[in-house]
Amino acid sequence: MRKAISIITILAIGAFVGNMINIGLNYAIHWQSLDPIDFMKSFKLDFPRLLAPTALTLMPAWLGSLWVFLKSPKKSESRKYRLYAFVGLTLVIAQTSIYHLPINLDFMALKYDAATATSQLNGWIVSHWIRVIVTIVSGVYAVMGFEKSTS
């Protein structure tokens, strides 16, 4: 069972990374090409469509990483790597909840003037790529934990 959960976790992390790269390379570039007010109007339509793929990949990745960490032998190298994967994904969830979600809701509410919207979007994108990097590193640790558990 642990092996299956480990594989599902790794696949979910990969799917989440793919989703996040898609957002960064497609949506973010498109949003930056728009007039700031038009961007916020577009974001109001785009954001809800991005929620399901994000949740359907991040939650299994996070829960799976927690489960395999807790089920790993104490003081094992695989447990250490799985802890790193879990902590990384937890940081991504925290960053998303504390930073991205409030800005997303403000974009949807058309809260910003044009200059502020542009500035907020640019910061959002930089922070988004940090999430991508942290998730990739978490995925590497999840694979390393899996490899150590099977060797």
Side-chain angles (χ1 to χ4, degrees):
M1 174 86 154
R2 189 174 353 163
K3 186 175 181 179
I5 298 291
S6 293
I7 292 169
I8 291 167
T9 299
I10 292 165
L11 291 172
I13 292 170
F16 178 68
V17 167
N19 182 51
M20 298 301 280
I21 290 171
N22 176 52
I23 290 169
L25 292 179
N26 292 305
Y27 285 92
I29 290 170
H30 171 68
W31 293 332
Q32 286 181 310
S33 74
L34 299 173
D35 169 80
I37 303 304
D38 290 337
F39 147 68
M40 289 189 290
K41 290 176 182 174
S42 174
F43 191 88
K44 189 173 187 170
L45 299 173
D46 293 336
F47 177 66
R49 289 186 287 222
L50 296 172
L51 283 177
T54 300
L56 291 173
T57 54
L58 181 55
M59 285 300 104
W62 183 74
L63 292 171
S65 69
L66 174 61
W67 193 87
V68 294
F69 162 70
L70 293 173
K71 295 297 183 180
S72 295
K74 303 257 190 267
K75 300 190 184 212
S76 67
E77 206 167 358
S78 66
R79 184 178 175 96
K80 176 179 72 171
Y81 291 143
R82 288 169 166 164
L83 173 63
Y84 296 159
F86 173 71
V87 168
L89 293 172
T90 300
L91 290 172
V92 168
I93 290 171
Q95 178 182 355
T96 300
S97 301
I98 295 167
Y99 177 75
H100 287 271
L101 186 58
I103 291 175
N104 292 352
L105 296 174
D106 289 345
F107 286 152
M108 292 173 65
L110 305 172
K111 180 178 177 181
Y112 303 118
D113 61 39
T116 305
T118 299
S119 174
Q120 291 287 59
L121 176 59
N122 291 336
W124 186 102
I125 291 169
V126 169
S127 183
H128 175 78
W129 286 111
I130 292 169
R131 288 190 296 186
V132 172
I133 292 166
V134 171
T135 305
I136 290 170
V137 171
S138 295
V140 169
Y141 279 119
V143 169
M144 291 169 65
F146 178 74
E147 286 177 344
K148 289 296 180 183
S149 72
T150 60
S151 60

